[in-house]
Amino acid sequence: MKLKKGITDLFISSFLWGTIGVAVQIGYGEGANPFQMVMIRSLVSSILILPLIKIRRIIDFPSILLGIIAVTFYETYIYTINYLGASLSAVFLYTAPLWVLLYSLISKSEEINIRKIAASFSVFLGVYLMYLSNITLKDLYLGLASGITYALLIIQSRRLQLRRMTNTEIIASQSLWSFPFSLIFLFFNSFDLTIASIYTGVYLALFATLLPYYFFYKGMGKSDSITATVISTLEPVFTILLAFVILHQVLTFLQVLGSLVIIVSAILISF
């Protein structure tokens, strides 16, 4: 049995994203501000990647829209980590395959088969099992907000790929155009930068933006958005394991069971 193209790239991106929750929680413990972290993340990633592209290639509405979606996703997810913690936030984020699947069904933009449908819905089952005894209405709203904005990011980036934009140009688009909109969030908070916000933001720029999105878009370009989204659901599994080792967050039986369901769904769609 041979792995489908792009799966290795998607696994690498999932692991790197799996470090986000732990890094952000450590940052919060040191006094980091969520809005400042997002601003630094967008600024640093823009500075590093813009020299690699022709800027005129990303000055259009679809690129700007990607940046708006990206900053909305960044802010929502990082806020959710602050409220729910690393593991819960990462797991609820991956209701995204359901929204991507729904979009694909409506738009008929990609091939749908039984395996993709089964894998997508098994992700939701895994999420539900993980936090069966700990879901409140507010938890659900925050989780859905993260999942929906993440799905929109996947859908829009896939559109740009189909327009023949390179992976580097797509990353540059979401980095550059998310920056000015991240400043808007700071108007409602504080411009007084903290050291913790700076080094956490730099970490997020390198290991939560440039490297993982490079591997993710590369993998998605070789497969499709549903496959990419489902494989990336290994992120919460990595987050839970890292949170256990670094933050000493103990896994419950339902968390272990839910993680196994997510892993099975990833395997189901990988071959």
Side-chain angles (χ1 to χ4, degrees):
M1 189 174 288
K2 190 176 181 180
L3 281 174
K4 290 171 64 176
K5 291 182 178 180
I7 299 302
T8 301
D9 297 314
L10 296 172
F11 269 87
I12 293 173
S13 66
S14 296
F15 175 77
L16 291 173
W17 278 327
T19 68
I20 294 175
V22 175
V24 169
Q25 275 208 280
I26 292 174
Y28 279 133
E30 298 295 324
N33 177 288
F35 304 108
Q36 293 176 6
M37 283 190 282
V38 171
M39 185 272 290
I40 294 295
R41 174 184 187 172
S42 297
L43 176 62
V44 172
S45 58
S46 295
I47 292 172
L48 292 176
I49 201 168
L50 286 180
L52 303 179
I53 67 163
K54 295 179 180 179
I55 296 180
R56 68 175 182 273
R57 288 269 299 164
I58 63 171
I59 302 179
D60 55 22
F61 178 73
S63 298
I64 296 172
L65 179 60
L66 181 66
I68 295 172
I69 294 172
V71 73
T72 305
F73 165 60
Y74 295 162
E75 299 286 2
T76 303
Y77 185 37
I78 287 183
Y79 172 76
T80 305
I81 292 171
N82 185 35
Y83 183 76
L84 298 177
S87 299
L88 181 59
S89 301
V91 172
F92 271 116
L93 181 65
Y94 286 91
T95 57
L98 296 179
W99 308 115
V100 174
L101 176 65
L102 180 61
Y103 170 79
S104 296
L105 287 172
I106 294 172
S107 65
K108 298 180 181 179
S109 58
E110 293 179 359
E111 178 187 356
I112 305 295
N113 56 43
I114 296 300
R115 281 193 302 168
K116 288 180 180 180
I117 294 174
S120 296
F121 278 96
S122 66
V123 168
F124 182 80
L125 174 62
V127 169
Y128 183 71
L129 287 173
M130 277 180 156
Y131 293 97
L132 186 63
S133 61
N134 197 31
I135 293 179
T136 67
L137 193 58
K138 188 170 184 178
D139 292 340
L140 184 60
Y141 286 154
L142 285 170
L144 289 176
S146 295
I148 291 171
T149 53
Y150 179 59
L152 289 173
L153 184 66
I154 301 305
I155 291 167
Q156 183 62 13
S157 62
R158 182 61 171 170
R159 286 176 176 171
L160 294 182
Q161 280 191 329
L162 295 175
R163 294 179 64 222
R164 304 300 181 185
M165 286 188 70
T166 67
N167 296 334
T168 304
E169 288 170 344
I170 294 173
I171 298 171
S173 295
Q174 72 183 66
S175 297
L176 175 63
W177 296 117
S178 65
F179 175 67
F181 293 100
S182 70
L183 295 176
I184 296 175
F185 286 92
L186 282 181
F187 279 112
F188 299 97
N189 200 263
S190 172
F191 279 93
D192 187 16
L193 286 175
T194 66
I195 297 299
S197 295
I198 294 173
Y199 65 68
T200 306
V202 171
Y203 177 89
L204 293 176
L206 295 175
F207 299 103
T209 306
L210 297 180
L211 287 175
Y213 277 112
Y214 168 77
F215 285 110
F216 181 75
Y217 291 141
K218 182 180 177 184
M220 185 168 63
K222 295 177 181 178
S223 54
D224 57 61
S225 60
I226 297 177
T227 300
T229 309
V230 174
I231 295 300
S232 66
T233 56
L234 289 174
E235 176 189 336
V237 178
F238 289 129
T239 300
I240 289 173
L241 293 174
L242 291 170
F244 173 72
V245 174
I246 299 173
L247 302 176
H248 308 295
Q249 295 179 357
V250 181
L251 296 171
T252 67
F253 171 74
L254 287 176
Q255 289 173 342
V256 173
L257 185 59
S259 297
L260 290 175
V261 172
I262 290 175
I263 290 173
V264 169
S265 72
I267 293 174
L268 181 65
I269 205 171
S270 297
F271 294 96

